[in-house]
Amino acid sequence: MSEETRDMLHEAALRIFADKPKNLWAVLQESGFDKTLLPESKGGAGVSWADASRLLILAGEHAADALLADAMVGHWLVDHAGVDGATLPTVASSAHSEQIRLGRTRDGWRVDGKLPRVPWGGACTHVAFVVGSGTAAQLIVLSRDAAGISVTSGRNLAGEPRDTLVLENVVPAAVVAAPLDARELLSLSAILRSALMAGAIERSLALAVEYANLRVQFGRPIGKFQAVQQNIAFLATQAAAARAAAEAGSEAIDEWLDGVGEPLSRNIAAASAKIRTGEAAGQACAIAHQVFGAIGFTEEHELHRFTKRLWSWRDECGNEAFWSRELGERILAGDPGQSLWRAVVPMAKAISGAAAGAAR
């Protein structure tokens, strides 16, 4: 994709989010943003995962529903499975393989089990998920209208649908070899959540700065007080770190799919994205609400639209504790001489860099 096309796509998305249409999702679908990862020959824009993440940062910055992220991945997986007619696919990235039973009879495949907290699981047309690991991983696509699927409605703290689907002898729309295994799909979804969170953190920062310059206390704006300035400055560092982590994670997806990077299951940037954005989200919510005081919690004020999403997304697709454990295992597993420092600063590069410096 050319730089000019990328800028046009970004500006179009920004214009839609800024207009705040009541039927935002319908407008995004009409504009094809849910299919941006698909090639142009299939109605998409052929964007990279890094470009898609930048669109999601915009979505998070405007408190748009997370459906956009799940629909992007859903379309990508459904297309890989060769299923047509999926107008609103979603992805069950948190599906546990041990909760799913996939069997084959003379009449074809059958699926039993449970898919917990599927984004828009009750409203989607198709749901895609992966079971298994390594080369044995299988991509399963179900039609939401298939017999044997029952839905228990649920919502996260931000009010976004997170429905549980119970499967009883369901005939899947497709079962094919997966392009990634279940853990890699969870990692990919976590990175896209990180992008949404980075946008919501940046908006929380902007709101806090604006309010600190407007709210007057003891004869001057509260933003003139050093304690408030320090908190907002710290919030700005968290926003910058969250964006950097999300962008590094999304670039890791592109490098892996292009065959030049490590698999997501071993990539440090991929595991770090959700850890860093989750940590930043906790700090951002605390500082923003402290700046606003009680008014930030009211329904009338928009701050809660971002902080409730941040609290919700922080726990989805694995929280900091989950990905910290994953990161530790990736760094320490296999090589007994490995350490966090050597993983962050590979010794070979450090030594060659020092040698080059000495030669100069």
Side-chain angles (χ1 to χ4, degrees):
M1 171 178 284
S2 67
E3 194 69 31
E4 183 180 1
T5 305
R6 184 180 295 110
D7 290 343
M8 289 174 59
L9 192 66
H10 188 275
E11 290 173 8
L14 184 59
R15 191 163 48 249
I16 291 173
F17 289 132
D19 288 345
K20 300 179 181 178
K22 290 183 178 178
N23 55 344
L24 174 61
W25 178 240
V27 174
L28 290 173
Q29 278 191 304
E30 289 172 4
S31 304
F33 282 101
D34 56 332
K35 298 180 180 178
T36 49
L37 287 168
L38 299 183
E40 294 182 19
S41 60
K42 297 183 178 180
V47 303
S48 66
W49 289 86
D51 290 332
S53 291
R54 292 186 187 102
L55 293 175
L56 293 176
I57 290 175
L58 274 182
E61 195 176 339
H62 291 81
D65 291 336
L67 175 59
L68 182 59
D70 298 293
M72 282 180 175
V73 182
H75 273 296
W76 182 67
L77 291 174
V78 167
D79 176 67
H80 180 86
V83 175
D84 297 323
T87 56
L88 182 54
T90 187
V91 57
S93 57
S94 298
H96 299 290
S97 296
E98 59 270 20
Q99 293 180 316
I100 302 296
R101 296 182 300 281
L102 176 66
R104 192 165 197 173
T105 67
R106 287 183 300 177
D107 298 327
W109 293 101
R110 294 290 188 275
V111 187
D112 293 274
K114 184 168 73 173
L115 301 175
R117 300 187 66 76
V118 179
W120 282 266
C124 69
T125 60
H126 292 75
V127 56
F129 57 100
V130 174
V131 295
S133 59
T135 56
Q138 291 178 298
L139 167 62
I140 303 171
V141 177
L142 305 179
S143 171
R144 171 62 191 83
D145 295 333
I149 299 179
S150 58
V151 179
T152 301
S153 299
R155 292 184 179 275
N156 62 16
L157 181 63
E160 297 169 328
R162 296 292 184 265
D163 306 319
T164 295
L165 275 57
V166 176
L167 317 175
E168 295 183 8
N169 203 32
V170 177
V171 177
V175 178
V176 300
L180 71 179
D181 68 17
R183 186 51 62 91
E184 289 166 338
L185 176 59
L186 181 62
S187 181
L188 185 150
S189 296
I191 292 169
L192 298 191
R193 279 287 185 283
S194 300
L196 288 165
M197 292 169 67
I201 292 170
E202 289 181 359
R203 183 59 178 156
S204 298
L205 169 63
L207 290 172
V209 170
E210 180 182 17
Y211 186 75
N213 286 322
L214 291 175
R215 177 79 168 91
V216 175
Q217 190 73 12
F218 304 115
R220 56 178 176 166
I222 61 173
K224 298 296 183 183
F225 291 96
Q226 191 172 25
V228 176
Q229 290 176 342
Q230 182 176 352
N231 274 345
I232 291 179
F234 183 69
L235 173 51
T237 65
Q238 298 304 298
R243 176 180 276 266
E247 290 182 346
S250 60
E251 288 168 3
I253 301 174
D254 286 320
E255 291 172 358
W256 167 55
L257 292 176
D258 290 341
V260 297
E262 291 181 306
L264 290 186
S265 58
R266 296 203 302 268
N267 191 289
I268 292 177
S272 301
K274 194 67 165 35
I275 299 172
R276 193 62 189 90
T277 52
E279 181 182 343
Q283 298 285 356
C285 292
I287 293 173
H289 278 293
Q290 192 173 29
V291 170
F292 275 92
I295 193 174
F297 288 97
T298 61
E299 279 294 318
E300 290 76 14
H301 199 278
E302 64 175 320
L303 179 62
H304 73 91
R305 296 171 58 213
F306 301 93
T307 53
K308 284 181 179 176
R309 282 175 167 80
L310 285 171
W311 284 320
S312 301
W313 296 340
R314 188 180 182 184
D315 284 335
E316 293 179 351
C317 305
N319 58 18
E320 296 105 280
F322 175 87
W323 287 110
S324 295
R325 187 167 54 249
E326 279 284 309
L327 179 62
E329 291 175 354
R330 291 178 192 188
I331 291 174
L332 302 177
D335 183 357
Q338 184 60 290
S339 67
L340 176 60
W341 176 248
R342 289 186 176 183
V344 175
V345 184
M347 295 305 291
K349 292 182 180 178
I351 292 171
S352 61
R360 287 195 294 272

